[in-house]
Tab-separated table of all heavy atoms in Angstrom:
chain	number	residue	atom	x	y	z
Y	24	LEU	N	95.657	89.933	102.863
Y	24	LEU	CA	96.317	88.797	102.241
Y	24	LEU	C	95.333	87.645	102.197
Y	24	LEU	O	94.547	87.458	103.115
Y	24	LEU	CB	97.554	88.378	103.044
Y	24	LEU	CG	98.682	89.418	103.125
Y	24	LEU	CD1	99.756	88.916	104.075
Y	24	LEU	CD2	99.263	89.678	101.769
Y	25	GLY	N	95.381	86.865	101.146
Y	25	GLY	CA	94.483	85.725	101.021
Y	25	GLY	C	94.909	84.551	101.885
Y	25	GLY	O	94.171	83.585	102.040
Y	26	ASP	N	96.080	84.627	102.449
Y	26	ASP	CA	96.626	83.534	103.256
Y	26	ASP	C	96.003	83.566	104.648
Y	26	ASP	O	96.063	84.583	105.335
Y	26	ASP	CB	98.138	83.683	103.343
Y	26	ASP	CG	98.823	82.437	103.845
Y	26	ASP	OD1	98.368	81.887	104.867
Y	26	ASP	OD2	99.804	82.018	103.223
Y	27	PRO	N	95.424	82.466	105.100
Y	27	PRO	CA	94.803	82.441	106.437
Y	27	PRO	C	95.809	82.665	107.573
Y	27	PRO	O	95.420	83.051	108.673
Y	27	PRO	CB	94.169	81.056	106.526
Y	27	PRO	CG	94.696	80.272	105.399
Y	27	PRO	CD	95.256	81.215	104.387
Y	28	ARG	N	97.089	82.462	107.318
Y	28	ARG	CA	98.104	82.683	108.362
Y	28	ARG	C	98.216	84.162	108.725
Y	28	ARG	O	98.714	84.504	109.790
Y	28	ARG	CB	99.471	82.159	107.907
Y	28	ARG	CG	99.497	80.651	107.746
Y	28	ARG	CD	100.817	80.194	107.206
Y	28	ARG	NE	100.933	80.621	105.814
Y	28	ARG	CZ	101.939	80.290	105.003
Y	28	ARG	NH1	102.931	79.556	105.454
Y	28	ARG	NH2	101.966	80.691	103.762
Y	29	ALA	N	97.763	85.043	107.833
Y	29	ALA	CA	97.853	86.478	108.093
Y	29	ALA	C	96.556	87.039	108.665
Y	29	ALA	O	96.482	88.221	108.990
Y	29	ALA	CB	98.209	87.210	106.804
Y	30	GLN	N	95.549	86.207	108.804
Y	30	GLN	CA	94.268	86.666	109.340
Y	30	GLN	C	94.417	87.063	110.807
Y	30	GLN	O	95.122	86.412	111.563
Y	30	GLN	CB	93.209	85.564	109.213
Y	30	GLN	CG	92.949	85.133	107.786
Y	30	GLN	CD	92.455	86.261	106.912
Y	30	GLN	OE1	91.639	87.057	107.326
Y	30	GLN	NE2	92.977	86.324	105.695
Y	31	GLY	N	93.745	88.128	111.190
Y	31	GLY	CA	93.781	88.568	112.580
Y	31	GLY	C	95.039	89.312	112.961
Y	31	GLY	O	95.329	89.482	114.141
Y	32	THR	N	95.809	89.760	111.958
Y	32	THR	CA	97.029	90.506	112.242
Y	32	THR	C	96.966	91.878	111.590
Y	32	THR	O	96.280	92.080	110.595
Y	32	THR	CB	98.287	89.779	111.716
Y	32	THR	OG1	98.187	89.632	110.307
Y	32	THR	CG2	98.462	88.427	112.361
Y	33	LEU	N	97.693	92.798	112.162
Y	33	LEU	CA	97.863	94.120	111.592
Y	33	LEU	C	99.296	94.206	111.104
Y	33	LEU	O	100.232	94.115	111.901
Y	33	LEU	CB	97.592	95.203	112.642
Y	33	LEU	CG	97.872	96.633	112.215
Y	33	LEU	CD1	96.929	97.043	111.085
Y	33	LEU	CD2	97.737	97.566	113.388
Y	34	ILE	N	99.469	94.349	109.788
Y	34	ILE	CA	100.801	94.423	109.197
Y	34	ILE	C	100.988	95.830	108.647
Y	34	ILE	O	100.223	96.279	107.801
Y	34	ILE	CB	100.980	93.381	108.080
Y	34	ILE	CG1	100.692	91.979	108.622
Y	34	ILE	CG2	102.383	93.459	107.499
Y	34	ILE	CD1	100.642	90.898	107.561
Y	35	SER	N	102.020	96.516	109.145
Y	35	SER	CA	102.307	97.885	108.719
Y	35	SER	C	103.703	97.962	108.120
Y	35	SER	O	104.647	97.358	108.648
Y	35	SER	CB	102.253	98.845	109.897
Y	35	SER	OG	101.007	98.801	110.518
Y	36	VAL	N	103.843	98.700	107.043
Y	36	VAL	CA	105.157	98.930	106.437
Y	36	VAL	C	105.797	100.088	107.194
Y	36	VAL	O	105.235	101.178	107.274
Y	36	VAL	CB	105.035	99.268	104.940
Y	36	VAL	CG1	106.408	99.549	104.342
Y	36	VAL	CG2	104.355	98.125	104.193
Y	37	THR	N	106.972	99.840	107.771
Y	37	THR	CA	107.643	100.860	108.567
Y	37	THR	C	108.738	101.578	107.788
Y	37	THR	O	109.026	102.746	108.059
Y	37	THR	CB	108.251	100.248	109.842
Y	37	THR	OG1	109.163	99.209	109.469
Y	37	THR	CG2	107.164	99.691	110.737
Y	38	LYS	N	109.349	100.877	106.817
Y	38	LYS	CA	110.468	101.467	106.095
Y	38	LYS	C	110.704	100.690	104.817
Y	38	LYS	O	110.461	99.480	104.772
Y	38	LYS	CB	111.725	101.421	106.976
Y	38	LYS	CG	112.957	102.028	106.387
Y	38	LYS	CD	114.120	101.924	107.369
Y	38	LYS	CE	115.400	102.420	106.746
Y	38	LYS	NZ	116.546	102.268	107.637
Y	39	VAL	N	111.210	101.364	103.795
Y	39	VAL	CA	111.614	100.710	102.552
Y	39	VAL	C	112.994	101.246	102.190
Y	39	VAL	O	113.213	102.461	102.187
Y	39	VAL	CB	110.628	100.983	101.403
Y	39	VAL	CG1	111.139	100.401	100.104
Y	39	VAL	CG2	109.251	100.426	101.716
Y	40	ASP	N	113.920	100.345	101.917
Y	40	ASP	CA	115.259	100.716	101.445
Y	40	ASP	C	115.413	100.210	100.021
Y	40	ASP	O	115.194	99.021	99.754
Y	40	ASP	CB	116.353	100.079	102.312
Y	40	ASP	CG	116.528	100.773	103.646
Y	40	ASP	OD1	116.166	101.960	103.753
Y	40	ASP	OD2	117.034	100.135	104.577
Y	41	VAL	N	115.793	101.093	99.119
Y	41	VAL	CA	115.993	100.737	97.718
Y	41	VAL	C	117.475	100.860	97.407
Y	41	VAL	O	118.137	101.812	97.838
Y	41	VAL	CB	115.171	101.668	96.797
Y	41	VAL	CG1	115.461	101.388	95.339
Y	41	VAL	CG2	113.689	101.513	97.071
Y	42	SER	N	118.002	99.900	96.640
Y	42	SER	CA	119.408	99.940	96.266
Y	42	SER	C	119.660	101.107	95.312
Y	42	SER	O	118.739	101.556	94.611
Y	42	SER	CB	119.826	98.619	95.621
Y	42	SER	OG	119.161	98.435	94.391
Y	43	PRO	N	120.890	101.597	95.257
Y	43	PRO	CA	121.200	102.744	94.390
Y	43	PRO	C	120.875	102.519	92.908
Y	43	PRO	O	120.539	103.454	92.203
Y	43	PRO	CB	122.703	102.943	94.587
Y	43	PRO	CG	122.982	102.371	95.934
Y	43	PRO	CD	122.033	101.215	96.079
Y	44	ASP	N	120.933	101.272	92.459
Y	44	ASP	CA	120.615	100.999	91.052
Y	44	ASP	C	119.121	100.718	90.836
Y	44	ASP	O	118.696	100.423	89.724
Y	44	ASP	CB	121.449	99.834	90.525
Y	44	ASP	CG	121.216	98.531	91.270
Y	44	ASP	OD1	120.358	98.484	92.171
Y	44	ASP	OD2	121.904	97.543	90.943
Y	45	LEU	N	118.322	100.826	91.901
Y	45	LEU	CA	116.863	100.626	91.885
Y	45	LEU	C	116.440	99.206	91.507
Y	45	LEU	O	115.289	98.975	91.164
Y	45	LEU	CB	116.181	101.631	90.942
Y	45	LEU	CG	116.425	103.113	91.219
Y	45	LEU	CD1	115.753	103.955	90.157
Y	45	LEU	CD2	115.942	103.491	92.591
Y	46	LYS	N	117.350	98.258	91.608
Y	46	LYS	CA	117.024	96.874	91.235
Y	46	LYS	C	116.477	96.060	92.400
Y	46	LYS	O	115.812	95.052	92.186
Y	46	LYS	CB	118.261	96.168	90.670
Y	46	LYS	CG	118.664	96.677	89.309
Y	46	LYS	CD	119.809	95.863	88.753
Y	46	LYS	CE	120.184	96.353	87.373
Y	46	LYS	NZ	121.264	95.543	86.798
Y	47	HIS	N	116.773	96.478	93.623
Y	47	HIS	CA	116.357	95.704	94.793
Y	47	HIS	C	115.770	96.638	95.854
Y	47	HIS	O	116.196	97.780	95.982
Y	47	HIS	CB	117.540	94.952	95.405
Y	47	HIS	CG	118.193	94.010	94.460
Y	47	HIS	ND1	117.690	92.773	94.173
Y	47	HIS	CD2	119.298	94.145	93.701
Y	47	HIS	CE1	118.462	92.179	93.294
Y	47	HIS	NE2	119.447	92.987	92.981
Y	48	ALA	N	114.805	96.104	96.581
Y	48	ALA	CA	114.219	96.857	97.682
Y	48	ALA	C	114.028	95.925	98.871
Y	48	ALA	O	113.706	94.755	98.705
Y	48	ALA	CB	112.885	97.461	97.271
Y	49	THR	N	114.233	96.465	100.042
Y	49	THR	CA	113.976	95.753	101.280
Y	49	THR	C	112.838	96.464	101.982
Y	49	THR	O	112.888	97.680	102.184
Y	49	THR	CB	115.226	95.752	102.184
Y	49	THR	OG1	116.317	95.185	101.465
Y	49	THR	CG2	114.980	94.946	103.441
Side-chain angles (χ1 to χ4, degrees):
L24 296 174
D26 195 312
R28 294 176 290 185
Q30 300 300 319
T32 61
L33 174 65
I34 304 172
S35 302
V36 178
T37 58
K38 182 180 175 183
V39 175
D40 284 336
V41 175
S42 66
D44 61 3
L45 303 177
K46 289 185 178 182
H47 301 281
T49 303

